[in-house]
Amino acid sequence: MRMINHCVKDNRLQEIVSHQSMVLIGNGKRTVFWHDTWLANYCLADRFPTLYHLSNDKDANIDKMRMWDDFEWIWFFSWTRPLRGRNIGLLEQLYAVLSTVHLDNEAEDRLLWKDNKSGRFSVKSLCGLLSPIHYSNNGFSFTGI
């Protein structure tokens, strides 16, 4: 998702793409833990800004934030300083969110395109979403398409 936001310069187009796509996590090698939108509709840096600020691993992929221990995945965090007080409560909230994640070491992370039955992106489906029927008042310019 971070790649899409970086490549797509038009904010309205970014919004369309972000609403029509979903990241399916496999092994976590292609998804940035704090920055990508891979849980619900938010990125973890926005949902837990204090923990993000204290993290030593701001740009780490998901696979670098976990380790295999006694037949289970353990989330591993490195902080700029020991967590205290309210931050420990925030970490517990983060663990609760992460408890719903099931990683598959055999599968790659992939982007699912919601507007296409196959789940694959197509220019045709994007152009259909950009048509005046769907976005008549958004001011999007079709010049150059």
Side-chain angles (χ1 to χ4, degrees):
M1 198 54 130
R2 191 175 186 189
M3 179 184 74
I4 292 170
N5 290 337
H6 178 73
C7 294
V8 178
K9 302 298 182 197
D10 186 287
N11 290 339
R12 292 160 298 204
L13 187 56
Q14 274 184 7
E15 183 179 328
I16 292 167
V17 171
S18 69
H19 282 92
Q20 291 300 321
S21 59
M22 182 175 97
V23 176
L24 295 178
I25 302 301
N27 55 22
K29 291 182 179 181
R30 295 182 176 181
T31 306
V32 180
F33 181 84
W34 290 106
H35 295 287
D36 286 335
T37 304
W38 60 281
L39 289 169
N41 290 322
Y42 55 82
C43 69
L44 292 174
D46 291 341
R47 176 73 169 83
F48 298 96
T50 303
L51 294 178
Y52 169 73
H53 178 71
L54 294 172
S55 175
N56 283 323
D57 302 308
K58 290 180 176 63
D59 294 315
N61 291 347
I62 293 171
D63 71 318
K64 301 297 183 201
M65 301 292 288
R66 62 189 177 94
M67 62 183 183
W68 185 249
D69 184 38
D70 290 331
F71 303 104
E72 68 176 321
W73 288 112
I74 304 295
W75 293 99
F76 175 76
F77 299 99
S78 173
W79 308 110
T80 58
R81 63 171 173 76
L83 299 183
R84 297 183 295 266
R86 182 176 176 269
N87 295 336
I88 294 173
L90 290 173
L91 182 58
E92 289 172 359
Q93 290 176 27
L94 177 58
Y95 279 130
V97 169
L98 294 174
S99 71
T100 64
V101 176
H102 301 285
L103 301 172
D104 180 358
N105 242 13
E106 303 301 317
E108 293 289 323
D109 298 350
R110 63 188 175 104
L111 195 65
L112 179 71
W113 187 250
K114 296 176 190 176
D115 193 61
N116 194 330
K117 290 178 185 176
S118 71
R120 292 185 176 166
F121 172 82
S122 73
V123 174
K124 180 180 178 180
S125 66
L126 178 60
C127 286
L129 290 170
L130 293 173
S131 73
I133 295 168
H134 284 92
Y135 294 95
S136 58
N137 295 322
N138 74 352
F140 184 80
S141 172
F142 283 88
T143 307
I145 294 181

